[in-house]
Amino acid sequence: MHTTHYANPAPLGLMGFGMTTILLNLHNAGFCDLTAVVLSMGLFFGGLAQILAGLLEFKKGNTFGMTAFTSYGAFWLSLVGILLLPQLGLAQASDGETLGGYLALWGVFTLFMFFGTLRANRVMQFVFASLALLFALLAVGNLTGNAGLLRIAGFEGIVCGASAIYLAMAEVLKEQFGRTVLPIGEAA
């Protein structure tokens, strides 16, 4: 009997998420402007690559991975739309309250996804816990217009994105070397 071995799509999705999250949060922390670099990364690596990873997780039968990657890929595509549609004259710009509500909804979704990681490795738990915190900080910062809180969120988002990159590389290196190279706190 022949079994098909599929590549693990999670590192692709985690890298798309992690690198895009770091780039946007470098802007939120005040290190760079919101330029075509950030928006392009959101469209292609944060958006399209994560959706592709989610569809590949579907093929593997991984409901959690499919839901996470396709949802966060759609998040990045919708965020770019929120930023670009007003510049193209296709929609009104969002106010802080509406953007805060959008981010709060993503925070609720992420909190539930975090509960889904409680049987996963510790780094995966950290990625989702720190992402839930990031959405909370961004939601409150936008709802209240608190620029200082948004800057703090930027630094927290850099840590969140870096943890996703670490997990992606831990999975790639484990497969390449046939052993754990970067520890991730394996689930019990």
Side-chain angles (χ1 to χ4, degrees):
M1 177 181 217
H2 180 321
T3 60
T4 304
H5 176 75
Y6 294 103
N8 180 2
L12 171 65
L14 288 164
M15 286 302 292
F17 169 79
M19 289 176 64
T20 309
T21 299
I22 287 175
L23 199 54
L24 178 61
N25 283 288
L26 286 170
H27 161 72
N28 289 339
F31 293 112
C32 64
D33 292 330
L34 186 62
T35 66
V37 170
V38 178
L39 296 176
S40 294
M41 185 75 111
L43 278 174
F44 298 106
F45 205 31
L48 294 178
Q50 276 197 94
I51 289 173
L52 177 60
L55 294 174
L56 294 170
E57 290 285 3
F58 171 84
K59 178 81 173 160
K60 287 178 53 184
N62 181 351
T63 301
F64 182 89
M66 184 270 306
T67 303
F69 291 131
T70 55
S71 296
Y72 293 115
F75 163 79
W76 284 111
L77 293 175
S78 68
L79 182 62
V80 171
I82 288 167
L83 298 171
L84 284 184
L85 290 175
Q87 293 182 3
L88 298 173
L90 298 174
Q92 286 184 334
S94 296
D95 57 31
E97 292 81 20
T98 306
L99 186 58
Y102 165 85
L103 294 164
L105 285 172
W106 279 104
V108 170
F109 169 75
T110 302
L111 181 62
F112 279 102
M113 292 300 286
F114 165 73
F115 294 141
T117 69
L118 293 178
R119 289 193 169 177
N121 65 69
R122 298 299 179 241
V123 177
M124 178 72 77
Q125 292 172 11
F126 182 84
V127 169
F128 279 85
S130 64
L131 182 57
L133 176 59
L134 175 59
F135 278 126
L137 292 170
L138 290 170
V140 172
N142 277 281
L143 287 167
T144 63
N146 186 330
L149 190 56
L150 293 172
R151 186 173 165 93
I152 290 168
F155 286 99
E156 198 276 345
I158 293 167
V159 172
C160 174
S163 69
I165 290 171
Y166 178 90
L167 182 55
M169 289 301 93
E171 291 187 19
V172 167
L173 294 175
K174 183 176 183 177
E175 186 169 322
Q176 286 300 106
F177 291 97
R179 62 179 175 80
T180 298
V181 176
L182 298 173
I184 58 172
E186 295 291 343

mmCIF file of all heavy atoms in Angstrom, residues 133-167:
data_model
loop_
_atom_site.group_PDB
_atom_site.id
_atom_site.type_symbol
_atom_site.label_atom_id
_atom_site.label_comp_id
_atom_site.label_asym_id
_atom_site.label_seq_id
_atom_site.Cartn_x
_atom_site.Cartn_y
_atom_site.Cartn_z
ATOM 1 N N LEU A 133 -3.481 39.283 22.446
ATOM 2 C CA LEU A 133 -3.095 40.510 23.153
ATOM 3 C C LEU A 133 -2.877 41.651 22.163
ATOM 4 O O LEU A 133 -3.313 42.787 22.406
ATOM 5 C CB LEU A 133 -1.838 40.271 23.993
ATOM 6 C CG LEU A 133 -1.266 41.499 24.705
ATOM 7 C CD1 LEU A 133 -2.300 42.114 25.660
ATOM 8 C CD2 LEU A 133 0.019 41.120 25.443
ATOM 9 N N LEU A 134 -2.223 41.368 21.042
ATOM 10 C CA LEU A 134 -1.986 42.402 20.029
ATOM 11 C C LEU A 134 -3.307 42.977 19.526
ATOM 12 O O LEU A 134 -3.472 44.203 19.443
ATOM 13 C CB LEU A 134 -1.174 41.825 18.870
ATOM 14 C CG LEU A 134 -0.942 42.755 17.678
ATOM 15 C CD1 LEU A 134 -0.214 44.023 18.096
ATOM 16 C CD2 LEU A 134 -0.180 42.004 16.583
ATOM 17 N N PHE A 135 -4.266 42.117 19.182
ATOM 18 C CA PHE A 135 -5.555 42.609 18.715
ATOM 19 C C PHE A 135 -6.248 43.436 19.798
ATOM 20 O O PHE A 135 -6.878 44.453 19.497
ATOM 21 C CB PHE A 135 -6.452 41.465 18.244
ATOM 22 C CG PHE A 135 -6.174 41.016 16.843
ATOM 23 C CD1 PHE A 135 -5.906 39.677 16.578
ATOM 24 C CD2 PHE A 135 -6.193 41.907 15.773
ATOM 25 C CE1 PHE A 135 -5.668 39.247 15.271
ATOM 26 C CE2 PHE A 135 -5.948 41.485 14.475
ATOM 27 C CZ PHE A 135 -5.685 40.156 14.217
ATOM 28 N N ALA A 136 -6.155 43.023 21.058
ATOM 29 C CA ALA A 136 -6.766 43.792 22.150
ATOM 30 C C ALA A 136 -6.136 45.180 22.255
ATOM 31 O O ALA A 136 -6.846 46.188 22.357
ATOM 32 C CB ALA A 136 -6.633 43.034 23.473
ATOM 33 N N LEU A 137 -4.807 45.232 22.211
ATOM 34 C CA LEU A 137 -4.121 46.523 22.290
ATOM 35 C C LEU A 137 -4.476 47.422 21.107
ATOM 36 O O LEU A 137 -4.735 48.618 21.276
ATOM 37 C CB LEU A 137 -2.605 46.313 22.349
ATOM 38 C CG LEU A 137 -2.040 45.667 23.606
ATOM 39 C CD1 LEU A 137 -0.564 45.309 23.407
ATOM 40 C CD2 LEU A 137 -2.223 46.579 24.807
ATOM 41 N N LEU A 138 -4.498 46.844 19.910
ATOM 42 C CA LEU A 138 -4.831 47.623 18.719
ATOM 43 C C LEU A 138 -6.284 48.080 18.753
ATOM 44 O O LEU A 138 -6.595 49.216 18.363
ATOM 45 C CB LEU A 138 -4.555 46.813 17.456
ATOM 46 C CG LEU A 138 -3.089 46.546 17.124
ATOM 47 C CD1 LEU A 138 -2.967 45.538 15.987
ATOM 48 C CD2 LEU A 138 -2.365 47.850 16.773
ATOM 49 N N ALA A 139 -7.191 47.225 19.207
ATOM 50 C CA ALA A 139 -8.603 47.596 19.283
ATOM 51 C C ALA A 139 -8.803 48.756 20.257
ATOM 52 O O ALA A 139 -9.407 49.775 19.905
ATOM 53 C CB ALA A 139 -9.453 46.391 19.704
ATOM 54 N N VAL A 140 -8.281 48.611 21.471
ATOM 55 C CA VAL A 140 -8.445 49.667 22.472
ATOM 56 C C VAL A 140 -7.729 50.942 22.022
ATOM 57 O O VAL A 140 -8.268 52.050 22.157
ATOM 58 C CB VAL A 140 -7.946 49.196 23.857
ATOM 59 C CG1 VAL A 140 -7.936 50.347 24.853
ATOM 60 C CG2 VAL A 140 -8.810 48.048 24.368
ATOM 61 N N GLY A 141 -6.532 50.801 21.461
ATOM 62 C CA GLY A 141 -5.797 51.972 20.982
ATOM 63 C C GLY A 141 -6.558 52.742 19.918
ATOM 64 O O GLY A 141 -6.590 53.974 19.928
ATOM 65 N N ASN A 142 -7.203 52.012 19.001
ATOM 66 C CA ASN A 142 -7.980 52.678 17.950
ATOM 67 C C ASN A 142 -9.295 53.225 18.487
ATOM 68 O O ASN A 142 -9.714 54.320 18.093
ATOM 69 C CB ASN A 142 -8.232 51.724 16.776
ATOM 70 C CG ASN A 142 -7.050 51.678 15.836
ATOM 71 O OD1 ASN A 142 -6.869 52.564 15.015
ATOM 72 N ND2 ASN A 142 -6.224 50.652 15.972
ATOM 73 N N LEU A 143 -9.953 52.494 19.362
ATOM 74 C CA LEU A 143 -11.217 52.963 19.930
ATOM 75 C C LEU A 143 -11.042 54.233 20.749
ATOM 76 O O LEU A 143 -11.906 55.108 20.741
ATOM 77 C CB LEU A 143 -11.857 51.870 20.794
ATOM 78 C CG LEU A 143 -12.468 50.694 20.041
ATOM 79 C CD1 LEU A 143 -12.774 49.541 20.987
ATOM 80 C CD2 LEU A 143 -13.739 51.133 19.306
ATOM 81 N N THR A 144 -9.904 54.340 21.432
ATOM 82 C CA THR A 144 -9.664 55.501 22.312
ATOM 83 C C THR A 144 -8.795 56.567 21.660
ATOM 84 O O THR A 144 -8.641 57.652 22.220
ATOM 85 C CB THR A 144 -8.984 55.043 23.620
ATOM 86 O OG1 THR A 144 -7.709 54.473 23.304
ATOM 87 C CG2 THR A 144 -9.852 54.041 24.372
ATOM 88 N N GLY A 145 -8.210 56.251 20.508
ATOM 89 C CA GLY A 145 -7.298 57.206 19.871
ATOM 90 C C GLY A 145 -5.993 57.368 20.626
ATOM 91 O O GLY A 145 -5.328 58.400 20.514
ATOM 92 N N ASN A 146 -5.600 56.363 21.388
ATOM 93 C CA ASN A 146 -4.405 56.425 22.230
ATOM 94 C C ASN A 146 -3.173 56.013 21.415
ATOM 95 O O ASN A 146 -2.898 54.815 21.236
ATOM 96 C CB ASN A 146 -4.596 55.510 23.449
ATOM 97 C CG ASN A 146 -3.478 55.612 24.451
ATOM 98 O OD1 ASN A 146 -2.336 55.887 24.115
ATOM 99 N ND2 ASN A 146 -3.816 55.370 25.707
ATOM 100 N N ALA A 147 -2.416 57.008 20.950
ATOM 101 C CA ALA A 147 -1.238 56.745 20.120
ATOM 102 C C ALA A 147 -0.158 55.982 20.887
ATOM 103 O O ALA A 147 0.544 55.151 20.305
ATOM 104 C CB ALA A 147 -0.681 58.057 19.579
ATOM 105 N N GLY A 148 -0.014 56.254 22.174
ATOM 106 C CA GLY A 148 0.975 55.547 22.979
ATOM 107 C C GLY A 148 0.672 54.061 23.076
ATOM 108 O O GLY A 148 1.581 53.221 22.996
ATOM 109 N N LEU A 149 -0.583 53.728 23.225
ATOM 110 C CA LEU A 149 -0.989 52.320 23.286
ATOM 111 C C LEU A 149 -0.759 51.634 21.937
ATOM 112 O O LEU A 149 -0.319 50.479 21.894
ATOM 113 C CB LEU A 149 -2.452 52.207 23.703
ATOM 114 C CG LEU A 149 -2.969 50.811 24.032
ATOM 115 C CD1 LEU A 149 -2.128 50.145 25.126
ATOM 116 C CD2 LEU A 149 -4.428 50.890 24.458
ATOM 117 N N LEU A 150 -1.010 52.351 20.856
ATOM 118 C CA LEU A 150 -0.752 51.787 19.531
ATOM 119 C C LEU A 150 0.737 51.547 19.316
ATOM 120 O O LEU A 150 1.134 50.567 18.683
ATOM 121 C CB LEU A 150 -1.328 52.689 18.439
ATOM 122 C CG LEU A 150 -2.852 52.767 18.409
ATOM 123 C CD1 LEU A 150 -3.308 53.825 17.417
ATOM 124 C CD2 LEU A 150 -3.470 51.414 18.098
ATOM 125 N N ARG A 151 1.563 52.420 19.861
ATOM 126 C CA ARG A 151 3.019 52.226 19.759
ATOM 127 C C ARG A 151 3.457 51.000 20.568
ATOM 128 O O ARG A 151 4.261 50.194 20.106
ATOM 129 C CB ARG A 151 3.745 53.480 20.235
ATOM 130 C CG ARG A 151 5.243 53.429 20.040
ATOM 131 C CD ARG A 151 5.856 54.781 20.385
ATOM 132 N NE ARG A 151 7.277 54.673 20.557
ATOM 133 C CZ ARG A 151 8.163 54.873 19.590
ATOM 134 N NH1 ARG A 151 7.748 55.189 18.385
ATOM 135 N NH2 ARG A 151 9.445 54.756 19.825
ATOM 136 N N ILE A 152 2.908 50.843 21.777
ATOM 137 C CA ILE A 152 3.191 49.648 22.592
ATOM 138 C C ILE A 152 2.748 48.399 21.837
ATOM 139 O O ILE A 152 3.460 47.384 21.813
ATOM 140 C CB ILE A 152 2.500 49.748 23.967
ATOM 141 C CG1 ILE A 152 3.176 50.828 24.808
ATOM 142 C CG2 ILE A 152 2.505 48.409 24.693
ATOM 143 C CD1 ILE A 152 2.403 51.218 26.058
ATOM 144 N N ALA A 153 1.575 48.465 21.208
ATOM 145 C CA ALA A 153 1.084 47.341 20.407
ATOM 146 C C ALA A 153 2.089 46.994 19.317
ATOM 147 O O ALA A 153 2.299 45.815 19.012
ATOM 148 C CB ALA A 153 -0.279 47.674 19.793
ATOM 149 N N GLY A 154 2.714 48.006 18.727
ATOM 150 C CA GLY A 154 3.716 47.751 17.696
ATOM 151 C C GLY A 154 4.868 46.901 18.206
ATOM 152 O O GLY A 154 5.275 45.926 17.547
ATOM 153 N N PHE A 155 5.371 47.226 19.375
ATOM 154 C CA PHE A 155 6.468 46.436 19.943
ATOM 155 C C PHE A 155 6.005 45.013 20.264
ATOM 156 O O PHE A 155 6.717 44.047 20.001
ATOM 157 C CB PHE A 155 7.035 47.117 21.194
ATOM 158 C CG PHE A 155 7.859 48.326 20.884
ATOM 159 C CD1 PHE A 155 7.327 49.602 20.982
ATOM 160 C CD2 PHE A 155 9.183 48.197 20.472
ATOM 161 C CE1 PHE A 155 8.090 50.720 20.687
ATOM 162 C CE2 PHE A 155 9.957 49.303 20.170
ATOM 163 C CZ PHE A 155 9.406 50.570 20.276
ATOM 164 N N GLU A 156 4.794 44.890 20.817
ATOM 165 C CA GLU A 156 4.248 43.569 21.141
ATOM 166 C C GLU A 156 4.033 42.765 19.858
ATOM 167 O O GLU A 156 4.281 41.565 19.827
ATOM 168 C CB GLU A 156 2.938 43.736 21.931
ATOM 169 C CG GLU A 156 2.504 42.499 22.676
ATOM 170 C CD GLU A 156 1.717 41.516 21.833
ATOM 171 O OE1 GLU A 156 1.240 41.893 20.738
ATOM 172 O OE2 GLU A 156 1.569 40.354 22.248
ATOM 173 N N GLY A 157 3.601 43.432 18.788
ATOM 174 C CA GLY A 157 3.391 42.755 17.510
ATOM 175 C C GLY A 157 4.681 42.241 16.895
ATOM 176 O O GLY A 157 4.683 41.199 16.222
ATOM 177 N N ILE A 158 5.764 42.955 17.107
ATOM 178 C CA ILE A 158 7.066 42.493 16.622
ATOM 179 C C ILE A 158 7.433 41.179 17.309
ATOM 180 O O ILE A 158 7.894 40.228 16.672
ATOM 181 C CB ILE A 158 8.151 43.574 16.830
ATOM 182 C CG1 ILE A 158 7.857 44.786 15.932
ATOM 183 C CG2 ILE A 158 9.553 43.013 16.584
ATOM 184 C CD1 ILE A 158 8.659 46.029 16.272
ATOM 185 N N VAL A 159 7.194 41.098 18.607
ATOM 186 C CA VAL A 159 7.460 39.865 19.357
ATOM 187 C C VAL A 159 6.556 38.736 18.857
ATOM 188 O O VAL A 159 7.014 37.605 18.636
ATOM 189 C CB VAL A 159 7.271 40.100 20.875
ATOM 190 C CG1 VAL A 159 7.346 38.792 21.649
ATOM 191 C CG2 VAL A 159 8.304 41.096 21.390
ATOM 192 N N CYS A 160 5.282 39.030 18.647
ATOM 193 C CA CYS A 160 4.336 38.028 18.148
ATOM 194 C C CYS A 160 4.796 37.489 16.796
ATOM 195 O O CYS A 160 4.853 36.270 16.594
ATOM 196 C CB CYS A 160 2.949 38.654 18.036
ATOM 197 S SG CYS A 160 1.707 37.587 17.277
ATOM 198 N N GLY A 161 5.122 38.380 15.869
ATOM 199 C CA GLY A 161 5.575 37.957 14.546
ATOM 200 C C GLY A 161 6.855 37.143 14.612
ATOM 201 O O GLY A 161 7.010 36.141 13.905
ATOM 202 N N ALA A 162 7.777 37.565 15.485
ATOM 203 C CA ALA A 162 9.043 36.834 15.627
ATOM 204 C C ALA A 162 8.800 35.421 16.153
ATOM 205 O O ALA A 162 9.470 34.471 15.733
ATOM 206 C CB ALA A 162 9.996 37.595 16.551
ATOM 207 N N SER A 163 7.820 35.259 17.037
ATOM 208 C CA SER A 163 7.529 33.919 17.558
ATOM 209 C C SER A 163 6.981 33.013 16.459
ATOM 210 O O SER A 163 7.295 31.819 16.427
ATOM 211 C CB SER A 163 6.566 33.994 18.754
ATOM 212 O OG SER A 163 5.263 34.406 18.365
ATOM 213 N N ALA A 164 6.206 33.570 15.535
ATOM 214 C CA ALA A 164 5.696 32.771 14.415
ATOM 215 C C ALA A 164 6.829 32.365 13.475
ATOM 216 O O ALA A 164 6.863 31.231 12.987
ATOM 217 C CB ALA A 164 4.616 33.547 13.659
ATOM 218 N N ILE A 165 7.759 33.270 13.242
ATOM 219 C CA ILE A 165 8.920 32.944 12.404
ATOM 220 C C ILE A 165 9.747 31.844 13.058
ATOM 221 O O ILE A 165 10.186 30.898 12.398
ATOM 222 C CB ILE A 165 9.771 34.204 12.138
ATOM 223 C CG1 ILE A 165 9.003 35.147 11.202
ATOM 224 C CG2 ILE A 165 11.136 33.838 11.552
ATOM 225 C CD1 ILE A 165 9.655 36.508 11.035
ATOM 226 N N TYR A 166 9.955 31.953 14.364
ATOM 227 C CA TYR A 166 10.703 30.926 15.098
ATOM 228 C C TYR A 166 10.040 29.562 14.934
ATOM 229 O O TYR A 166 10.712 28.561 14.634
ATOM 230 C CB TYR A 166 10.793 31.317 16.579
ATOM 231 C CG TYR A 166 11.504 30.298 17.431
ATOM 232 C CD1 TYR A 166 12.884 30.368 17.613
ATOM 233 C CD2 TYR A 166 10.801 29.267 18.051
ATOM 234 C CE1 TYR A 166 13.550 29.427 18.401
ATOM 235 C CE2 TYR A 166 11.457 28.325 18.836
ATOM 236 C CZ TYR A 166 12.829 28.414 19.006
ATOM 237 O OH TYR A 166 13.483 27.477 19.775
ATOM 238 N N LEU A 167 8.707 29.518 15.110
ATOM 239 C CA LEU A 167 7.997 28.248 14.986
ATOM 240 C C LEU A 167 8.101 27.700 13.565
ATOM 241 O O LEU A 167 8.319 26.499 13.376
ATOM 242 C CB LEU A 167 6.529 28.416 15.391
ATOM 243 C CG LEU A 167 5.661 27.165 15.356
ATOM 244 C CD1 LEU A 167 6.259 26.040 16.206
ATOM 245 C CD2 LEU A 167 4.244 27.503 15.821
#
